[in-house]
Amino acid sequence: MITTVSPKKDGQWLAQVLEGLRCAGVAVINDVLAPSFVEITRETMYRVQRQILEDVGAERLKRAGELGILRCMFKYDPHFFEFLRLPEVLAVVDHTVSETAVLHLQNGFILPSFSPGSAPSLFQTRFHMDFPRVLNGSLVSVNLFFAIDEFKVSNGATLVVPGSHQKSVPPEPEYLRGHAVALECPAGSIVVFDSTLWHASGANTSGGDRLAINHQFTRSYFKQQLDYVRALGDRVVTTQPSRTQQLLGWYTRVPTSLDEYYRPETERLYRKGQG
């Protein structure tokens, strides 16, 4: 059974999520995003999708073998910084990875609908781990996956295999298919999972898109999928709250010259105590 909690109804929600992560590798937090926030997010994601298409081009996106993935969304709209300020997000990150974790990625998903059996076979639709390293049982990476649309079997709700996390030997494909569970939850919920959990995108046959946003947080010494500080620029990053700066990697930058390396401690790019 997958743990499902609501911070609005249960004062012990965080402890239950942590226990769900330990035992099953996954838990669901309902009632996180307000309906108005969800609607703004949906509208903004479609606008960002158009902007990414214009910037990158359809051919390059197709060549990447991805299906409806939106990368570095806050470069196009500051709305997506809001996800890094949510108390529920920070509480989970602090009590799993660490208080000095960094954002490994924030990827939006606009999963299109296909007729039954016609969805393409891509990385995201095959069972995989988002952090394909098992480090003696240490939880060094966690995913917080926001349901912007309601997750249903018919629209491709994420498939997870409870208990498949932290396994040094990959489960057999037959086991994954036979034990997969579709995570159905309302819009505005967060699916939290150990990044070593085996999971896959479900098949969307609903006739409409299914929207979601994945966040992966890691220990600060693992490289991010994108160098968000460089991608966004110093001016944008320094206007964010200190904690958001830290999550974006502002305190774990690598010096590019001896001048940067030998700066006074208060000016160093890589601050001490970052995990």
Side-chain angles (χ1 to χ4, degrees):
M1 184 175 178
I2 295 175
T3 299
T4 301
V5 299
S6 169
K8 294 182 178 180
K9 301 175 183 178
D10 190 344
Q12 299 300 312
W13 69 270
L14 180 57
Q16 294 181 55
V17 167
L18 298 178
E19 182 65 10
L21 282 175
R22 186 184 69 83
C23 295
V26 60
V28 178
I29 309 174
N30 290 338
D31 304 319
V32 177
L33 302 180
S36 58
F37 187 91
V38 168
E39 187 55 36
I40 291 171
T41 301
R42 293 188 87 259
E43 295 172 358
T44 309
M45 286 179 69
Y46 278 113
R47 184 168 64 250
V48 167
Q49 184 184 45
R50 293 190 294 270
Q51 292 174 291
I52 291 175
L53 178 61
E54 181 177 339
D55 282 356
V56 180
E59 182 58 35
R60 292 173 69 188
L61 291 170
K62 181 179 179 181
R63 189 168 63 239
E66 298 176 344
L67 188 62
I69 299 180
L70 312 179
R71 301 188 188 277
C72 204
M73 293 186 295
F74 30 54
K75 180 178 177 63
Y76 297 91
D77 196 292
H79 172 76
F80 298 101
F81 287 118
E82 297 296 327
F83 288 87
L84 304 182
R85 301 168 188 159
L86 294 169
E88 295 85 357
V89 169
L90 298 178
V92 171
V93 172
D94 287 352
H95 288 82
T96 53
V97 180
S98 76
E99 295 180 357
T100 58
V102 296
L103 178 71
H104 180 71
L105 60 81
Q106 182 197 68
N107 290 340
F109 291 88
I110 299 180
L111 183 68
S113 178
F114 293 90
S115 58
S118 66
S121 177
L122 303 168
F123 175 77
Q124 68 208 72
T125 62
R126 297 189 291 268
F127 283 102
H128 62 279
M129 298 188 293
D130 279 1
F131 190 85
R133 307 163 191 85
V134 176
L135 304 176
N136 198 31
S138 297
L139 200 168
V140 297
S141 179
V142 68
N143 286 62
L144 286 86
F145 199 62
F146 283 86
I148 304 305
D149 286 319
E150 179 183 2
F151 276 22
K152 301 179 289 186
V153 172
S154 62
N155 70 1
T158 300
L159 301 172
V160 299
V161 182
S164 65
H165 60 304
Q166 299 293 344
K167 304 296 184 187
S168 56
V169 178
E172 294 294 330
E174 295 78 11
Y175 179 88
L176 295 172
R177 289 192 294 268
H179 290 79
V181 176
L183 287 175
E184 296 188 282
C185 58
S189 302
I190 313 176
V191 174
V192 182
F193 61 93
D194 183 320
S195 301
T196 65
L197 185 78
W198 287 82
H199 66 285
S201 172
N204 183 1
T205 59
S206 66
D209 296 334
R210 189 216 69 189
L211 277 63
I213 302 177
N214 184 27
H215 296 77
Q216 183 179 352
F217 298 90
T218 64
R219 289 274 187 171
S220 62
Y221 43 79
F222 292 105
K223 289 184 178 180
Q224 297 165 287
Q225 186 182 78
L226 289 172
D227 185 336
Y228 287 119
V229 170
R230 289 176 59 206
L232 296 169
D234 291 6
R235 184 186 61 80
V236 173
V237 176
T238 54
T239 62
Q240 304 303 317
S242 177
R243 184 63 193 279
T244 302
Q245 293 178 22
Q246 183 257 323
L247 289 171
L248 292 171
W250 183 249
Y251 302 154
T252 51
R253 289 169 291 163
V254 178
T256 61
S257 67
L258 293 181
D259 176 63
E260 289 184 345
Y261 185 86
Y262 287 109
R263 288 182 180 182
E265 183 176 315
T266 56
E267 299 176 12
R268 288 177 186 169
L269 303 186
Y270 199 116
R271 297 190 182 183
K272 66 179 181 180
Q274 293 302 307

